[in-house]
Amino acid sequence: SGVNGHRIAMTIYPGVRMNPNPVVESDDFYLCVSRFTYYKRLDLAVAACTKLGKKLVVVGGGEEEKHLRKIAGPTVEFKGRLSDEEVFALMPRAKAFLFPGEEDFGSTPVEAQSSGVPVLAYGRGGILETVREGKTGLFFRGFLFFLCPRPSGIPGIVLADLQQQSEKTEYQSFS
């Protein structure tokens, strides 16, 4: 059965562990948890935090590690591979979770949201189904991005286009 002769399909998402740790007040750092492979685009997060002087904690490892360390400035800290328990202890303390790659489904942004942490993600792919823009996170569609406080203290998003050596600023707020 279906509509106009087309079958109706249902998406079944993979299982994701929910963070058992309580939500805590955030520290002054942003977080990426990922395999270090090109399509994950961690280079965007590392470059943005380096350029803007924002603290970024990066968890994981892989073939892109040497390149990521090369482009990282002093505000980027690499933790290596951590256990699930260590990641779940770190996650609720992050100011935001950065997810710069396009994925069919990303489990780490869902885990971050279960920790009470907003997600800043590239606005394409499966993330559009798991993050509620303006409620649990924000999407970027430019080259580089970063959450930063506005003068009012409300988190906002800064888009920095390094290819043109200019900065464009667009502010949005979480509700």
Side-chain angles (χ1 to χ4, degrees), residues 82-98:
L82 300 179
S83 69
D84 287 347
E85 291 74 23
E86 290 170 310
V87 171
F88 279 145
L90 185 63
M91 216 171 247
R93 296 182 18 236
K95 188 181 272 189
F97 185 83
L98 307 184

Side-chain angles (χ1 to χ4, degrees), residues 50-67:
T50 295
K51 176 175 175 48
L52 298 170
K54 301 294 183 179
K55 183 169 182 182
L56 173 65
V57 174
V58 185
V59 176
E63 71 265 10
E64 289 288 309
E65 185 166 355
K66 184 176 181 181
H67 170 69

Side-chain angles (χ1 to χ4, degrees), residues 59-165:
V59 176
E63 71 265 10
E64 289 288 309
E65 185 166 355
K66 184 176 181 181
H67 170 69
L68 293 172
R69 287 182 180 275
K70 182 178 178 182
I71 65 171
T75 60
V76 179
E77 177 184 355
F78 291 89
K79 293 275 195 185
R81 290 183 171 96
L82 300 179
S83 69
D84 287 347
E85 291 74 23
E86 290 170 310
V87 171
F88 279 145
L90 185 63
M91 216 171 247
R93 296 182 18 236
K95 188 181 272 189
F97 185 83
L98 307 184
F99 193 72
E102 181 179 350
E103 298 272 353
D104 292 334
F105 181 84
S107 59
T108 52
V110 176
E111 292 168 351
Q113 291 173 90
S114 82
S115 301
V117 176
V119 174
L120 177 57
Y122 180 52
R124 290 189 57 178
I127 197 77
L128 297 174
E129 296 181 35
T130 59
V131 171
R132 293 180 59 210
E133 188 163 24
K135 300 286 184 192
T136 63
L138 295 173
F139 299 121
F140 72 92
R141 291 162 181 89
F143 292 102
L144 293 179
F145 56 91
F146 207 79
L147 278 175
C148 71
R150 296 194 310 191
S152 66
I154 299 170
I157 181 172
V158 171
L159 303 175
D161 181 348
L162 290 182
Q163 288 187 342
Q164 304 208 6
Q165 296 300 318

